[in-house]
Every structure is written in structure tokens, then in C-alpha cells.
Coordinates of all heavy atoms in Angstrom, one line a residue:
R1 N 22.6 10.3 1.2 CA 21.5 9.6 0.6 C 22.0 8.7 -0.5 O 22.8 9.1 -1.3 CB 20.5 10.6 0.1 CG 19.3 9.9 -0.5 CD 18.4 10.9 -1.2 NE 17.7 10.1 -2.2 CZ 16.6 10.5 -2.7 NH1 16.0 11.5 -2.3 NH2 16.0 9.7 -3.6
E2 N 21.6 7.5 -0.5 CA 22.0 6.5 -1.5 C 21.1 6.7 -2.8 O 19.9 6.9 -2.7 CB 21.7 5.1 -1.0 CG 22.3 4.0 -1.8 CD 22.2 2.7 -1.2 OE1 22.4 2.5 0.0 OE2 21.8 1.7 -1.9
T3 N 21.8 6.8 -3.9 CA 21.0 7.0 -5.2 C 20.9 5.7 -5.9 O 21.7 4.8 -5.8 CB 21.7 8.1 -6.0 OG1 23.0 7.6 -6.4 CG2 21.8 9.4 -5.3
T4 N 19.9 5.7 -6.8 CA 19.7 4.5 -7.6 C 19.1 4.9 -8.9 O 18.4 6.0 -9.0 CB 18.7 3.5 -6.9 OG1 18.5 2.4 -7.8 CG2 17.4 4.1 -6.5
D5 N 19.3 4.1 -10.0 CA 18.7 4.4 -11.3 C 17.3 3.8 -11.4 O 16.6 4.1 -12.4 CB 19.6 3.8 -12.4 CG 20.9 4.6 -12.5 OD1 21.0 5.7 -12.1 OD2 21.9 4.0 -13.0
L6 N 16.9 3.0 -10.5 CA 15.6 2.4 -10.5 C 14.5 3.3 -10.0 O 14.6 3.7 -8.9 CB 15.6 1.1 -9.8 CG 14.3 0.3 -9.7 CD1 13.9 -0.1 -11.2 CD2 14.5 -1.0 -8.9
R7 N 13.5 3.6 -10.8 CA 12.4 4.4 -10.4 C 11.1 3.5 -10.5 O 10.9 2.9 -11.6 CB 12.2 5.6 -11.3 CG 13.2 6.6 -11.1 CD 12.9 7.8 -12.0 NE 13.9 8.8 -11.9 CZ 15.0 8.8 -12.6 NH1 15.1 7.9 -13.6 NH2 15.9 9.7 -12.5
V8 N 10.4 3.3 -9.4 CA 9.2 2.4 -9.3 C 8.0 3.3 -9.0 O 8.0 3.9 -8.0 CB 9.4 1.3 -8.3 CG1 8.2 0.5 -8.2 CG2 10.6 0.5 -8.7
A9 N 7.0 3.2 -9.8 CA 5.7 3.9 -9.6 C 4.7 2.8 -9.2 O 4.5 1.8 -9.9 CB 5.3 4.7 -10.8
S10 N 4.0 3.0 -8.1 CA 3.0 2.0 -7.6 C 2.2 2.7 -6.5 O 2.5 3.8 -6.1 CB 3.7 0.8 -7.1 OG 4.4 1.1 -5.9
V11 N 1.1 1.9 -6.1 CA 0.4 2.4 -5.0 C 1.2 2.2 -3.8 O 2.2 1.4 -3.7 CB -0.9 1.5 -4.9 CG1 -1.9 1.8 -6.1 CG2 -0.7 0.1 -4.7
P12 N 1.0 3.0 -2.7 CA 1.8 3.0 -1.5 C 2.0 1.6 -0.9 O 3.1 1.3 -0.4 CB 1.1 3.9 -0.6 CG 0.5 4.9 -1.5 CD 0.0 4.1 -2.6
L13 N 1.0 0.7 -0.9 CA 1.1 -0.6 -0.3 C 2.2 -1.4 -1.0 O 3.0 -2.1 -0.4 CB -0.2 -1.3 -0.3 CG -0.3 -2.6 0.5 CD1 0.2 -2.5 1.9 CD2 -1.7 -3.2 0.5
I14 N 2.2 -1.4 -2.3 CA 3.2 -2.1 -3.1 C 4.6 -1.6 -2.8 O 5.6 -2.3 -2.6 CB 2.9 -2.1 -4.6 CG1 1.7 -3.0 -4.9 CG2 4.1 -2.6 -5.4 CD1 1.2 -3.0 -6.3
K15 N 4.7 -0.3 -2.7 CA 6.0 0.4 -2.3 C 6.4 -0.1 -1.0 O 7.6 -0.5 -0.8 CB 5.8 1.9 -2.3 CG 7.1 2.6 -1.9 CD 7.0 3.2 -0.5 CE 8.2 4.0 -0.2 NZ 8.6 4.0 1.2
Y16 N 5.5 -0.3 0.0 CA 5.9 -0.8 1.3 C 6.4 -2.2 1.2 O 7.4 -2.5 1.8 CB 4.6 -0.7 2.2 CG 4.8 -1.5 3.5 CD1 5.5 -0.9 4.5 CD2 4.3 -2.7 3.7 CE1 5.7 -1.6 5.7 CE2 4.5 -3.4 4.9 CZ 5.2 -2.8 5.9 OH 5.4 -3.5 7.1
Y17 N 5.7 -3.1 0.4 CA 6.2 -4.4 0.3 C 7.6 -4.5 -0.4 O 8.4 -5.3 0.1 CB 5.2 -5.3 -0.5 CG 3.9 -5.6 0.2 CD1 2.7 -5.6 -0.4 CD2 3.9 -6.0 1.6 CE1 1.5 -5.9 0.2 CE2 2.7 -6.3 2.2 CZ 1.5 -6.2 1.5 OH 0.4 -6.5 2.2
L18 N 7.8 -3.7 -1.4 CA 9.1 -3.8 -2.1 C 10.2 -3.2 -1.3 O 11.3 -3.8 -1.2 CB 9.0 -3.0 -3.5 CG 8.0 -3.6 -4.5 CD1 8.0 -2.6 -5.7 CD2 8.5 -5.0 -4.9
A19 N 9.9 -2.1 -0.6 CA 11.0 -1.5 0.3 C 11.3 -2.5 1.4 O 12.4 -2.6 1.8 CB 10.5 -0.2 0.8
A20 N 10.3 -3.2 2.0 CA 10.5 -4.1 3.1 C 11.3 -5.3 2.7 O 12.0 -5.9 3.5 CB 9.1 -4.6 3.6
Q21 N 11.3 -5.6 1.4 CA 12.1 -6.7 0.9 C 13.5 -6.2 0.5 O 14.4 -7.0 0.0 CB 11.5 -7.3 -0.4 CG 10.2 -8.1 -0.1 CD 10.5 -9.2 0.9 OE1 11.4 -10.0 0.8 NE2 9.6 -9.3 1.9
G22 N 13.8 -4.9 0.7 CA 15.1 -4.4 0.5 C 15.4 -3.8 -0.9 O 16.6 -3.6 -1.3
L23 N 14.4 -3.7 -1.7 CA 14.6 -3.2 -3.1 C 14.9 -1.7 -3.0 O 14.1 -0.9 -2.5 CB 13.3 -3.3 -3.9 CG 13.4 -2.9 -5.4 CD1 14.4 -3.7 -6.1 CD2 12.0 -2.9 -6.0
K24 N 16.1 -1.3 -3.4 CA 16.6 0.1 -3.4 C 16.1 0.7 -4.7 O 16.4 0.3 -5.8 CB 18.1 0.1 -3.3 CG 18.7 -0.6 -2.1 CD 18.6 0.3 -0.9 CE 19.4 -0.4 0.2 NZ 18.8 -0.3 1.4
A25 N 15.2 1.7 -4.5 CA 14.6 2.4 -5.7 C 14.2 3.8 -5.2 O 14.0 4.1 -4.1 CB 13.5 1.6 -6.3
E26 N 13.9 4.6 -6.2 CA 13.2 5.9 -6.0 C 11.8 5.6 -6.3 O 11.4 5.2 -7.4 CB 13.7 7.0 -7.0 CG 12.9 8.3 -6.9 CD 13.3 9.3 -8.0 OE1 14.3 9.1 -8.7 OE2 12.5 10.2 -8.1
Y27 N 10.9 5.7 -5.2 CA 9.5 5.3 -5.3 C 8.7 6.5 -5.6 O 8.8 7.5 -5.0 CB 9.1 4.6 -4.0 CG 9.7 3.3 -3.8 CD1 10.8 3.1 -3.0 CD2 9.2 2.1 -4.4 CE1 11.4 1.9 -2.8 CE2 9.8 0.9 -4.3 CZ 10.9 0.8 -3.4 OH 11.4 -0.5 -3.3
L28 N 7.8 6.4 -6.6 CA 6.9 7.4 -7.0 C 5.5 6.9 -6.7 O 5.0 6.0 -7.3 CB 7.1 7.7 -8.5 CG 8.5 8.1 -9.0 CD1 8.6 8.1 -10.5 CD2 9.0 9.4 -8.4
P29 N 4.8 7.5 -5.7 CA 3.5 7.0 -5.3 C 2.4 7.3 -6.4 O 2.5 8.4 -7.0 CB 3.3 7.8 -4.0 CG 4.0 9.0 -4.2 CD 5.3 8.7 -4.9
I30 N 1.5 6.4 -6.5 CA 0.3 6.6 -7.2 C -0.9 6.5 -6.3 O -1.4 5.4 -6.1 CB 0.1 5.6 -8.4 CG1 1.4 5.7 -9.3 CG2 -1.1 6.0 -9.2 CD1 1.4 4.6 -10.4
A31 N -1.2 7.6 -5.6 CA -2.3 7.6 -4.6 C -3.5 8.4 -5.0 O -4.6 8.2 -4.6 CB -1.8 8.0 -3.3
T32 N -3.2 9.4 -6.0 CA -4.3 10.3 -6.4 C -4.2 10.4 -7.9 O -3.3 10.0 -8.6 CB -4.1 11.7 -5.8 OG1 -2.9 12.3 -6.3 CG2 -4.0 11.6 -4.2
A33 N -5.3 11.0 -8.5 CA -5.3 11.3 -9.9 C -4.2 12.3 -10.3 O -3.6 12.1 -11.4 CB -6.6 11.9 -10.3
E34 N -3.8 13.2 -9.4 CA -2.7 14.1 -9.7 C -1.4 13.4 -9.8 O -0.5 13.7 -10.6 CB -2.6 15.2 -8.6 CG -3.8 16.2 -8.6 CD -5.0 15.6 -7.9 OE1 -4.9 14.7 -7.1 OE2 -6.1 16.1 -8.2
D35 N -1.2 12.3 -9.0 CA 0.0 11.5 -9.1 C 0.1 10.9 -10.4 O 1.2 10.8 -11.0 CB 0.1 10.4 -8.0 CG 0.2 11.0 -6.6 OD1 0.7 12.1 -6.4 OD2 -0.2 10.3 -5.6
L36 N -1.0 10.4 -10.9 CA -1.0 9.7 -12.2 C -0.7 10.7 -13.4 O 0.1 10.4 -14.3 CB -2.3 9.0 -12.5 CG -2.4 8.1 -13.6 CD1 -1.3 7.0 -13.5 CD2 -3.8 7.4 -13.7
V37 N -1.2 11.9 -13.3 CA -0.9 13.0 -14.3 C 0.5 13.3 -14.2 O 1.2 13.5 -15.3 CB -1.8 14.2 -14.0 CG1 -1.4 15.4 -14.8 CG2 -3.3 13.9 -14.3
R38 N 1.1 13.4 -13.0 CA 2.5 13.8 -12.9 C 3.4 12.7 -13.5 O 4.3 13.0 -14.3 CB 2.9 13.9 -11.4 CG 4.3 14.2 -11.1 CD 4.6 14.3 -9.7 NE 4.0 13.3 -8.8 CZ 4.5 12.1 -8.7 NH1 5.6 11.7 -9.3 NH2 3.9 11.2 -7.9
L39 N 3.0 11.4 -13.3 CA 3.8 10.3 -14.0 C 3.7 10.4 -15.5 O 4.7 10.2 -16.2 CB 3.3 9.0 -13.5 CG 3.8 8.5 -12.1 CD1 3.1 7.2 -11.8 CD2 5.3 8.4 -12.1
Q40 N 2.5 10.7 -16.0 CA 2.3 10.7 -17.4 C 3.0 11.9 -18.1 O 3.3 11.8 -19.3 CB 0.8 10.7 -17.8 CG 0.2 9.4 -17.4 CD -1.3 9.4 -17.6 OE1 -1.9 10.4 -17.7 NE2 -1.9 8.2 -17.6
S41 N 3.4 12.9 -17.3 CA 4.1 14.0 -17.8 C 5.6 13.9 -17.8 O 6.3 14.7 -18.3 CB 3.7 15.3 -17.1 OG 4.2 15.2 -15.8
L42 N 6.1 12.8 -17.3 CA 7.5 12.5 -17.3 C 8.0 12.4 -18.8 O 7.3 11.9 -19.6 CB 7.9 11.2 -16.6 CG 7.8 11.3 -15.1 CD1 8.1 9.9 -14.5 CD2 8.7 12.3 -14.5
V43 N 9.2 12.9 -19.0 CA 9.7 12.8 -20.4 C 9.9 11.3 -20.8 O 10.1 10.4 -20.0 CB 11.0 13.5 -20.5 CG1 10.8 15.0 -20.4 CG2 12.1 13.0 -19.6
D44 N 9.8 11.0 -22.1 CA 9.9 9.7 -22.6 C 11.2 9.0 -22.3 O 11.3 7.8 -22.3 CB 9.6 9.7 -24.1 CG 8.2 9.9 -24.4 OD1 7.3 9.7 -23.5 OD2 7.9 10.2 -25.6
S45 N 12.3 9.8 -22.1 CA 13.6 9.2 -21.8 C 13.8 8.7 -20.4 O 14.7 8.0 -20.1 CB 14.7 10.2 -22.2 OG 14.6 11.3 -21.3
T46 N 12.8 9.0 -19.5 CA 12.9 8.6 -18.1 C 12.6 7.1 -18.0 O 11.6 6.6 -18.4 CB 11.9 9.4 -17.2 OG1 12.2 10.8 -17.4 CG2 12.0 9.0 -15.8
Q47 N 13.6 6.4 -17.5 CA 13.4 4.9 -17.3 C 12.5 4.8 -16.0 O 12.8 5.3 -15.0 CB 14.7 4.2 -17.1 CG 15.5 4.2 -18.3 CD 16.8 3.4 -18.1 OE1 17.2 3.1 -17.0 NE2 17.4 3.0 -19.2
L48 N 11.5 4.0 -16.2 CA 10.4 3.9 -15.1 C 9.9 2.5 -15.1 O 9.6 1.9 -16.2 CB 9.3 4.9 -15.4 CG 8.2 5.0 -14.5 CD1 8.6 5.4 -13.1 CD2 7.1 6.0 -15.0
T49 N 9.6 1.9 -13.9 CA 8.9 0.7 -13.8 C 7.6 1.0 -13.1 O 7.6 1.6 -12.0 CB 9.8 -0.3 -12.9 OG1 11.0 -0.5 -13.6 CG2 9.1 -1.6 -12.8
V50 N 6.5 0.5 -13.7 CA 5.2 0.8 -13.1 C 4.6 -0.6 -12.7 O 4.6 -1.5 -13.5 CB 4.3 1.5 -14.1 CG1 2.9 1.7 -13.5 CG2 4.9 2.9 -14.5
V51 N 4.1 -0.7 -11.5 CA 3.5 -1.9 -11.0 C 2.0 -1.7 -11.0 O 1.5 -0.8 -10.3 CB 4.0 -2.3 -9.6 CG1 3.4 -3.6 -9.1 CG2 5.5 -2.4 -9.6
G52 N 1.2 -2.5 -11.7 CA -0.2 -2.4 -11.7 C -0.8 -2.1 -13.0 O -1.1 -3.0 -13.8
S53 N -0.9 -0.8 -13.4 CA -1.6 -0.4 -14.6 C -0.6 0.3 -15.5 O 0.2 1.1 -15.1 CB -2.8 0.5 -14.4 OG -3.7 -0.2 -13.6
P54 N -0.8 0.2 -16.9 CA 0.1 0.9 -17.8 C -0.2 2.4 -17.8 O -1.3 2.8 -17.5 CB -0.2 0.2 -19.1 CG -1.6 -0.2 -19.0 CD -1.8 -0.6 -17.6
L55 N 0.8 3.1 -18.2 CA 0.6 4.6 -18.4 C -0.1 4.8 -19.8 O 0.3 4.1 -20.8 CB 1.9 5.3 -18.4 CG 2.7 5.3 -17.1 CD1 4.0 6.0 -17.2 CD2 1.9 5.9 -16.0
A56 N -1.0 5.8 -19.9 CA -1.7 6.0 -21.1 C -0.9 6.6 -22.2 O -1.2 6.3 -23.4 CB -2.9 6.9 -20.8
N57 N 0.1 7.4 -21.9 CA 0.8 8.1 -23.0 C 2.1 7.5 -23.4 O 2.9 8.1 -24.2 CB 1.0 9.5 -22.6 CG 2.0 9.7 -21.4 OD1 2.1 8.7 -20.6 ND2 2.6 10.8 -21.2
R58 N 2.5 6.3 -22.8 CA 3.8 5.7 -23.2 C 3.6 4.2 -23.5 O 2.7 3.6 -22.9 CB 4.7 5.8 -22.0 CG 5.2 7.3 -21.8 CD 6.1 7.4 -20.6 NE 7.4 6.8 -20.9 CZ 8.4 6.9 -20.0 NH1 8.3 7.5 -18.9 NH2 9.6 6.4 -20.3
T59 N 4.4 3.7 -24.4 CA 4.4 2.3 -24.7 C 5.5 1.6 -23.9 O 6.6 1.9 -24.0 CB 4.6 2.1 -26.2 OG1 3.6 2.8 -26.9 CG2 4.5 0.6 -26.6
P60 N 5.1 0.5 -23.2 CA 6.1 -0.2 -22.4 C 7.1 -0.9 -23.3 O 6.7 -1.5 -24.3 CB 5.3 -1.1 -21.5 CG 4.0 -1.3 -22.2 CD 3.8 0.0 -23.0
V61 N 8.4 -1.0 -22.8 CA 9.4 -1.8 -23.5 C 9.1 -3.2 -23.2 O 9.3 -4.1 -24.0 CB 10.8 -1.3 -23.0 CG1 11.9 -2.2 -23.6 CG2 11.0 0.1 -23.4
L62 N 8.7 -3.5 -21.9 CA 8.4 -4.8 -21.5 C 7.3 -4.8 -20.5 O 7.1 -3.9 -19.7 CB 9.7 -5.4 -20.7 CG 9.6 -6.8 -20.1 CD1 9.6 -7.8 -21.2 CD2 10.8 -7.0 -19.2
A63 N 6.4 -5.8 -20.6 CA 5.3 -6.0 -19.7 C 5.4 -7.5 -19.3 O 5.4 -8.4 -20.1 CB 4.0 -5.7 -20.3
R64 N 5.3 -7.7 -18.0 CA 5.4 -9.1 -17.4 C 4.4 -9.2 -16.4 O 4.3 -8.4 -15.4 CB 6.8 -9.3 -16.9 CG 7.0 -10.8 -16.5 CD 8.5 -11.0 -16.4 NE 8.6 -12.5 -16.1 CZ 9.7 -13.0 -15.7 NH1 10.7 -12.3 -15.5 NH2 9.7 -14.3 -15.5
T65 N 3.6 -10.3 -16.4 CA 2.5 -10.6 -15.5 C 2.9 -11.7 -14.6 O 3.4 -12.7 -15.0 CB 1.2 -10.9 -16.2 OG1 0.9 -9.8 -17.1 CG2 0.1 -11.1 -15.2
F66 N 2.7 -11.5 -13.3 CA 3.0 -12.5 -12.3 C 1.6 -12.9 -11.7 O 0.7 -12.1 -11.5 CB 3.8 -11.9 -11.1 CG 5.2 -11.4 -11.6 CD1 5.4 -10.1 -12.1 CD2 6.3 -12.3 -11.6 CE1 6.6 -9.7 -12.6 CE2 7.5 -11.9 -12.1 CZ 7.7 -10.6 -12.6
Y67 N 1.5 -14.2 -11.4 CA 0.3 -14.8 -10.9 C 0.5 -15.4 -9.5 O 1.6 -16.0 -9.2 CB -0.2 -15.9 -11.8 CG -0.5 -15.4 -13.2 CD1 0.5 -15.5 -14.2 CD2 -1.7 -14.8 -13.5 CE1 0.2 -15.0 -15.5 CE2 -2.0 -14.3 -14.8 CZ -1.0 -14.4 -15.7 OH -1.2 -13.9 -17.0
H68 N -0.4 -15.2 -8.6 CA -0.4 -15.7 -7.2 C -1.6 -16.5 -7.0 O -2.7 -16.3 -7.6 CB -0.4 -14.5 -6.2 CG 0.7 -13.6 -6.4 ND1 1.9 -13.7 -5.6 CD2 0.9 -12.5 -7.1 CE1 2.7 -12.8 -5.9 NE2 2.2 -12.0 -6.9
N69 N -1.5 -17.4 -6.1 CA -2.6 -18.2 -5.7 C -3.7 -17.3 -5.1 O -3.4 -16.6 -4.1 CB -2.2 -19.3 -4.6 CG -3.3 -20.2 -4.2 OD1 -4.4 -19.8 -4.2 ND2 -2.9 -21.3 -3.7
P70 N -4.9 -17.2 -5.6 CA -5.9 -16.3 -5.1 C -6.3 -16.6 -3.7 O -6.9 -15.7 -3.0 CB -7.0 -16.4 -6.1 CG -6.8 -17.7 -6.8 CD -5.4 -18.0 -6.8
Y71 N -6.1 -17.8 -3.2 CA -6.4 -18.1 -1.8 C -5.4 -17.6 -0.8 O -5.6 -17.5 0.3 CB -6.6 -19.6 -1.7 CG -7.8 -20.1 -2.5 CD1 -7.6 -20.8 -3.7 CD2 -9.1 -19.8 -2.1 CE1 -8.6 -21.2 -4.5 CE2 -10.2 -20.2 -2.9 CZ -9.9 -20.9 -4.1 OH -11.0 -21.3 -4.8
V72 N -4.2 -17.3 -1.4 CA -3.1 -16.8 -0.5 C -3.0 -15.3 -0.7 O -2.8 -14.6 0.3 CB -1.7 -17.5 -0.9 CG1 -0.6 -16.8 -0.2 CG2 -1.8 -19.0 -0.7
N73 N -3.1 -14.8 -1.9 CA -3.0 -13.4 -2.1 C -4.3 -12.9 -2.8 O -4.4 -12.8 -4.0 CB -1.8 -13.1 -3.0 CG -1.5 -11.6 -3.1 OD1 -2.4 -10.8 -2.9 ND2 -0.4 -11.2 -3.6
R74 N -5.3 -12.6 -2.0 CA -6.6 -12.2 -2.6 C -6.6 -10.8 -3.2 O -7.4 -10.4 -4.0 CB -7.7 -12.3 -1.5 CG -7.9 -13.7 -1.2 CD -9.0 -13.8 -0.1 NE -9.1 -15.2 0.2 CZ -9.8 -15.7 1.2 NH1 -10.5 -14.8 2.0 NH2 -9.9 -16.9 1.5
M75 N -5.7 -9.9 -2.7 CA -5.6 -8.6 -3.2 C -5.1 -8.5 -4.6 O -5.6 -7.7 -5.4 CB -4.8 -7.7 -2.2 CG -4.9 -6.2 -2.5 SD -4.0 -5.2 -1.3 CE -5.0 -5.5 0.1
W76 N -4.0 -9.2 -4.9 CA -3.4 -9.2 -6.2 C -3.1 -10.6 -6.7 O -1.9 -11.1 -6.7 CB -2.1 -8.4 -6.1 CG -2.2 -7.0 -5.8 CD1 -3.0 -6.0 -6.5 CD2 -1.7 -6.3 -4.7 NE1 -2.9 -4.8 -5.9 CE2 -2.1 -4.9 -4.8 CE3 -0.9 -6.6 -3.6 CZ2 -1.7 -4.0 -3.9 CZ3 -0.5 -5.7 -2.7 CH2 -0.9 -4.4 -2.8
P77 N -4.1 -11.4 -7.1 CA -3.8 -12.7 -7.7 C -3.1 -12.6 -9.0 O -2.4 -13.5 -9.4 CB -5.2 -13.3 -7.8 CG -6.1 -12.2 -7.9 CD -5.5 -11.1 -7.1
E78 N -3.2 -11.4 -9.7 CA -2.5 -11.2 -10.9 C -2.0 -9.8 -10.9 O -2.7 -8.9 -10.6 CB -3.5 -11.4 -12.1 CG -2.9 -11.1 -13.5 CD -4.0 -11.3 -14.5 OE1 -4.7 -12.3 -14.5 OE2 -4.1 -10.5 -15.4
L79 N -0.7 -9.6 -11.2 CA 0.0 -8.3 -11.1 C 0.9 -8.2 -12.3 O 1.8 -9.0 -12.5 CB 0.7 -8.2 -9.8 CG 1.2 -6.9 -9.4 CD1 0.1 -5.9 -9.2 CD2 2.0 -7.0 -8.1
T80 N 0.8 -7.1 -13.0 CA 1.6 -6.8 -14.1 C 2.6 -5.7 -13.8 O 2.2 -4.7 -13.2 CB 0.8 -6.4 -15.4 OG1 -0.2 -7.5 -15.6 CG2 1.6 -6.2 -16.6
V81 N 3.8 -5.9 -14.3 CA 4.9 -4.9 -14.1 C 5.2 -4.4 -15.5 O 5.5 -5.2 -16.4 CB 6.1 -5.5 -13.5 CG1 7.3 -4.6 -13.4 CG2 5.8 -6.0 -12.1
Y82 N 5.2 -3.1 -15.7 CA 5.5 -2.5 -17.0 C 6.9 -1.7 -16.9 O 7.1 -1.0 -15.9 CB 4.5 -1.5 -17.4 CG 3.1 -2.1 -17.5 CD1 2.3 -2.2 -16.4 CD2 2.7 -2.6 -18.7 CE1 1.0 -2.8 -16.5 CE2 1.4 -3.3 -18.8 CZ 0.6 -3.3 -17.7 OH -0.6 -3.9 -17.8
E83 N 7.7 -1.9 -17.9 CA 9.0 -1.2 -17.9 C 9.0 -0.2 -19.1 O 8.7 -0.6 -20.2 CB 10.2 -2.2 -18.0 CG 10.4 -3.0 -16.8 CD 11.6 -3.9 -16.9 OE1 12.6 -3.6 -17.7 OE2 11.7 -4.8 -16.1
Y84 N 9.4 1.0 -18.8 CA 9.4 2.0 -19.8 C 10.8 2.6 -20.0 O 11.6 2.6 -19.0 CB 8.5 3.2 -19.4 CG 7.0 2.8 -19.3 CD1 6.5 2.4 -18.1 CD2 6.2 2.9 -20.4 CE1 5.1 2.0 -18.1 CE2 4.9 2.5 -20.4 CZ 4.4 2.1 -19.2 OH 3.0 1.7 -19.1

């Protein structure tokens, strides 16, 4: 198994898109409330990239918002990536 230092937390559809583009990462799904609680319980020293919404108990080191043409991408015309 190939290992990577990149950990990405997102909804499964975003994971699918990123993995399909060849992004090598450990993907942490956010599909249920329990998944979100599990993410928030990670220790502060864990490097994590979250796509979508910020975590309630951590302050991001970097937040960057990407914009898409809403006529092309109606699901996510605006998408923020948070790095912890």
C-alpha cells in the first residue's frame, strides 16, 4: 500500500472527484454526524485538509475559496478548502 502524508476529509462525492484526478491521499469520509465527531476528535497535531465546511474545534492555518461558474457547476459554485 502506498502511504501519503496528505489527509483529506470531505463528502464522498468530492473524494471521488479528487481520487479520479489522481490525488494520492488518505481520504476521511464525512457522510454522517458520527464521521464529523470523529474528525473533530483528532489531535491538534494531525495535519488535515477539509473540503467544504470548517471544523468547529480547530482553527485553520489556511482557508482558500474557489469559485466556479454556477451554470457549469451548480452543486458547488463556491467551495472552500481548510488546512489544519
Side-chain angles (χ1 to χ4, degrees):
R1 178 185 156 160
E2 191 174 314
T3 60
T4 178
D5 291 336
L6 180 60
R7 288 183 186 89
V8 177
S10 69
V11 296
L13 186 57
I14 290 177
K15 180 250 185 212
Y16 170 78
Y17 288 140
L18 293 175
Q21 292 300 313
L23 182 67
K24 303 278 188 225
E26 175 186 348
Y27 291 98
L28 306 169
I30 305 174
T32 66
E34 290 80 23
D35 292 337
L36 193 55
V37 169
R38 180 180 43 80
L39 279 177
Q40 292 175 344
S41 67
L42 288 175
V43 294
D44 286 341
S45 63
T46 303
Q47 292 183 344
L48 179 65
T49 301
V50 178
V51 180
S53 299
L55 297 177
N57 66 336
R58 292 177 71 177
T59 302
V61 174
L62 178 69
R64 187 162 186 196
T65 303
F66 298 89
Y67 300 93
H68 298 266
N69 181 335
Y71 297 105
V72 174
N73 187 343
R74 292 182 184 168
M75 190 174 293
W76 295 300
E78 180 179 313
L79 191 61
T80 303
V81 176
Y82 300 90
E83 291 185 21
Y84 296 92

